[in-house]
Amino acid sequence: MAAKSLQEQLLGVGLVDKKKVKKLKAESLQLKQKVKKGKVAAAGDDGRQEELKRQREEKVEKDRALNMERQKLVEQKAVQGQIRQMIEQNRVRKQDGDIAYHFTDNKKVKQLYISQSMHDDLSRGRLAIVKLDQQYEIIPEPVAVKINERDSSCVLVCNNRVESVDDDPYADFQIPDDLMW
């Protein structure tokens, strides 16, 4: 008993007809010729090239995201350096006093002992309290506003500036109700 090819076995069972067998033989012959010429290898490389291109694009995107993250960290460090410099250059020397000024830091009540004049300036908004390296510093209000623009978590106390009514030279004059600005 001689071994039959798969095509002959399928033809004998009746799953394929003679036309289909001739077509399959012609396709296999063309495939063999392409393999000899190297065209099939090139067609397989197209899929590989697409995969490599996709991987390169993903790597470029990942690198871009990492660079953006590094840039943000550099900018944050620069801002922190600016804040540190502003606080160190403009801090008001604390005058030890007997008046406790209470304020909150991370939901905890803290206190500084200061003089009466500093207490008045803090209350009127002329001075502010900021945090630098786990220490509290007192700085002028305009500097605190600049720091607040960069990082609001550093400024702990900055009251609205209120000028006393006693200093107002126009306090004796009545403001008309129908005055239009």
Side-chain angles (χ1 to χ4, degrees):
M1 198 156 129
K4 296 181 179 179
S5 69
L6 180 61
Q7 292 175 349
E8 292 173 356
Q9 291 175 7
L10 291 174
L11 187 61
V13 175
L15 292 175
V16 292
D17 58 354
K18 289 184 181 182
K19 289 182 185 178
K20 187 95 169 178
V21 170
K22 286 182 183 179
K23 186 178 177 183
L24 289 174
K25 280 185 183 180
E27 286 178 6
S28 67
L29 184 61
Q30 287 177 351
L31 186 63
K32 286 179 185 177
Q33 289 174 352
K34 284 182 181 179
V35 169
K36 286 181 183 177
K37 293 180 181 177
K39 291 182 179 177
V40 172
D45 285 345
D46 287 343
R48 178 78 175 134
Q49 292 294 331
E50 289 294 324
E51 178 68 22
L52 290 173
K53 183 178 177 183
R54 185 185 59 77
Q55 287 176 354
R56 271 184 264 142
E57 289 172 356
E58 286 177 0
K59 185 178 183 326
V60 166
E61 196 63 36
K62 189 187 297 183
D63 289 346
R64 187 175 296 133
L66 284 172
N67 286 340
M68 292 286 285
E69 204 171 298
R70 287 184 190 132
Q71 185 67 25
K72 285 180 184 178
L73 288 174
V74 167
E75 288 173 5
Q76 285 177 348
K77 284 183 180 180
V79 167
Q80 292 302 321
Q82 290 172 355
I83 290 172
R84 172 180 297 282
Q85 185 178 13
M86 282 193 282
I87 291 172
E88 288 174 352
Q89 289 178 350
N90 295 296
R91 65 177 145 204
V92 176
R93 197 167 63 71
K94 295 178 195 165
Q95 300 169 355
D96 289 334
D98 53 351
I99 299 174
Y101 188 85
H102 298 277
F103 59 95
T104 59
D105 180 18
N106 263 352
K107 299 180 182 179
K108 292 181 182 178
V109 177
K110 302 289 183 171
Q111 65 183 4
L112 282 177
Y113 286 98
I114 54 177
S115 67
Q116 181 63 44
S117 64
M118 288 184 97
H119 188 278
D120 292 341
D121 288 342
L122 277 169
S123 298
R124 290 195 174 116
R126 292 187 201 130
L127 294 177
I129 298 175
V130 294
K131 187 174 186 177
L132 177 67
D133 296 332
Q134 305 302 322
Q135 291 184 348
Y136 303 109
E137 300 291 339
I138 298 174
I139 60 172
E141 181 261 346
V143 177
V145 170
K146 290 179 184 177
I147 291 172
N148 196 27
E149 291 172 358
R150 289 171 174 79
D151 185 8
S152 61
S153 66
C154 292
V155 179
L156 302 176
V157 176
C158 186
N159 296 322
N160 292 334
R161 186 179 279 257
V162 177
E163 296 299 325
S164 67
V165 179
D166 300 336
D167 296 341
D168 189 9
Y170 299 103
D172 296 337
F173 298 100
Q174 194 80 10
I175 298 174
D177 293 337
D178 60 347
L179 182 64
M180 299 298 280
W181 291 94

